[in-house]
Structures are given as C-alpha cells and as structure tokens.
Amino acid sequence: MSDPILATHGLSKRFGALQATDDVSIDLRAGEIHAIIGPNGAGKSTLIKQICGGLVPDAGTVSLLGRDISGLSTGARAQAGLGRTFQISELAMEDTVLENAVLGALGARASPWSFWTRALGRTDLTERAKSGLDRVGLLDQQDMIVANLSHGQRRQLEVAVSLTLSPKAFIMDEPMAGLGAEGSKTMTSFLDGLREEAPILLVEHDMDAVFALADRISVLVYGRIIATGTADQIRNDAQVREAYLGEEA
C-alpha cells in the first residue's frame, strides 16, 4: 500500500473539561474520498481546524506527503498543497467571483496579499482562476458580486478557489450544507470526479452523499474515532448505529 497523502498522528485537544479530540489518527490515500462523520459536538470542526492550522493541538502531528506540517500556519499549509472549503463561507462577499478566485491563485504563489488587486492584470493568475471557475460551472458569472450568488453557487466558488491552489489534498467541511436535493446531487457528481485530481477528506452530515462518495468512513464520537471502514461496514457496525446512524443506516 502506498504512503498516505495526508495523515494525522495522535491529535488531541482539550478545552477545560472537554476532550474535543482524543488521540485521533486517520489518513487519506491517493484517489480516495475519506469521510468523517459523527453527531454534533463530536469534535469534527476541532479536528479540521487542527489539520488546517487554525488550532494548535495539545498533542499529535499532521503530515502531508510524508512531511510534518504541524508547525506551519494555515496559509503555509495551503501553499504546501492543502486545499480547504469551509462549513461557513469565508468568501469576500463584496468582491466579484473572479476576484475571489484570483485571490486563491495569488495565495498559491505566496505573493504579498496586500497587493492582490494588481494580480488581476497578470495573465497567469487570471487564467488559473478562470480555469477553476470553468471547472465548477461559474465562468459565466465571473463578473458577478459574490453577495448576489445563490448559496449553492457560493459553495461552488469555494471549490474553485481551492482548485487554484493545485492542492495535493482537499479538506471539505460540509460542502452539501444548504444546497437542497438537486444541488447536493450536482455537488456529489462533481466531487466524485474530483478525487482523481486530489483525494478528499470530507466532513458531511448528508448521509446519502457520504454513502455514495466515500471509499472509507471514520466515525468520530466524543472526540474519538470509534470505527473506520467501507460504507457497508459502517452501516452494519452495531456501535456506530447506536452512537450515531440509528435509522439513517
């Protein structure tokens, strides 16, 4: 078996009496979608923040392509190849679709963020940005102000911004949130093809999407991974059914 693209090793984080993550070790392999599921308050957001650099763990490390990136900032991890979409949108709502995508492309080149408006005149950056927009079907909306996009289009734009980074791995935090049935179906189809470009660590509550997409699923409950396996293995795991899935299985 090849070495994982992304891996955590014993990540732990405590907030007072709350053990938010407890010795979490997971990995993401080439060409796969690995889903992290669990009830609200299970520690999923805390885990993602530790992986992406927004939260320093009390113990444990994160590696990307075999390199320990635990000491890197969020921006440095993105430049190293960690692409992320957010549970709550962090787009620049007052800027255009293209400007948001160029901002992502600029970050990929470690350019000074304070001079990002100059980047709109750089063909290499705008072409990279437009390529990402075209991939998600937003090229025709490139001049639209982001605040005027639908919720689903904003989720698509987040993916386009991540694509400009040419990521080695994607971290996607509830990409289906707020999309509705048809939007979730479209996003599911897109992510299914995206895994061949870079593997995806997916945090998602939409179990239909999870079971349709995931090669492996890890179940996080009270900060601990209680099971990892295929969709069928997770569906049929008595401990998982009791702790989380219930009738959804």
Side-chain angles (χ1 to χ4, degrees):
M1 183 181 298
S2 60
D3 292 336
I5 304 298
L6 176 71
T8 71
H9 314 274
L11 286 184
S12 296
K13 185 67 180 181
R14 177 182 289 275
F15 299 100
L18 175 65
Q19 187 72 47
T21 52
D22 188 2
D23 194 28
V24 176
S25 297
I26 58 172
D27 62 64
L28 181 64
R29 302 167 189 167
E32 80 164 344
I33 295 178
H34 187 161
I36 308 294
I37 65 173
N40 291 330
K44 300 185 297 296
S45 294
T46 299
L47 174 61
I48 293 301
K49 288 177 182 177
Q50 289 175 90
I51 293 172
C52 294
L55 193 61
V56 178
D58 297 329
T61 60
V62 180
S63 62
L64 181 65
L65 295 173
R67 173 192 176 191
D68 187 344
I69 61 171
S70 305
L72 298 184
S73 67
T74 299
R77 294 186 198 202
Q79 291 161 12
L82 203 56
R84 180 179 180 183
T85 67
F86 294 86
Q87 181 180 18
I88 300 173
S89 179
E90 296 197 1
L91 299 168
M93 303 299 287
E94 71 281 3
D95 294 327
T96 68
V97 169
L98 180 59
E99 286 169 340
N100 273 265
V102 169
L103 185 60
L106 183 65
R109 283 163 171 71
S111 303
W113 292 80
S114 58
F115 300 111
W116 78 271
T117 53
R118 299 180 185 177
L120 291 173
R122 286 182 53 181
T123 301
D124 60 331
L125 296 183
T126 55
E127 288 305 311
R128 176 183 283 266
K130 288 180 179 180
S131 176
L133 293 176
D134 189 41
R135 291 280 305 279
V136 302
L138 287 180
L139 189 58
D140 289 344
Q141 286 77 35
Q142 62 179 300
D143 296 322
M144 185 179 292
I145 298 299
V146 171
N148 295 328
L149 294 176
S150 68
H151 182 81
Q153 288 172 321
R154 292 175 193 171
R155 305 302 288 185
Q156 290 173 297
L157 178 55
E158 285 192 339
V159 175
V161 171
S162 291
L163 285 169
T164 66
L165 297 169
S166 298
K168 304 298 186 294
F170 288 103
I171 309 295
M172 296 198 174
D173 193 356
E174 297 193 31
M176 312 297 174
L179 291 185
E182 192 59 35
S184 292
K185 182 178 178 180
T186 299
M187 183 64 78
T188 297
S189 178
F190 179 75
L191 296 185
D192 193 29
L194 190 61
R195 76 176 85 204
E196 295 305 321
E197 182 167 329
I200 301 169
L201 188 65
L202 175 69
V203 174
E204 185 53 63
H205 282 291
D206 185 333
M207 288 298 99
D208 288 338
V210 168
F211 288 136
L213 286 169
D215 299 286
R216 288 187 295 154
I217 301 170
S218 290
V219 184
L220 190 68
V221 177
Y222 297 126
R224 291 190 66 87
I225 298 292
I226 65 169
T228 295
T230 65
D232 285 342
Q233 288 171 333
I234 294 301
R235 277 194 185 101
N236 296 315
D237 189 300
Q239 185 181 12
V240 172
R241 292 175 69 95
E242 180 179 358
Y244 179 54
L245 289 180
E247 294 304 315
E248 292 187 71

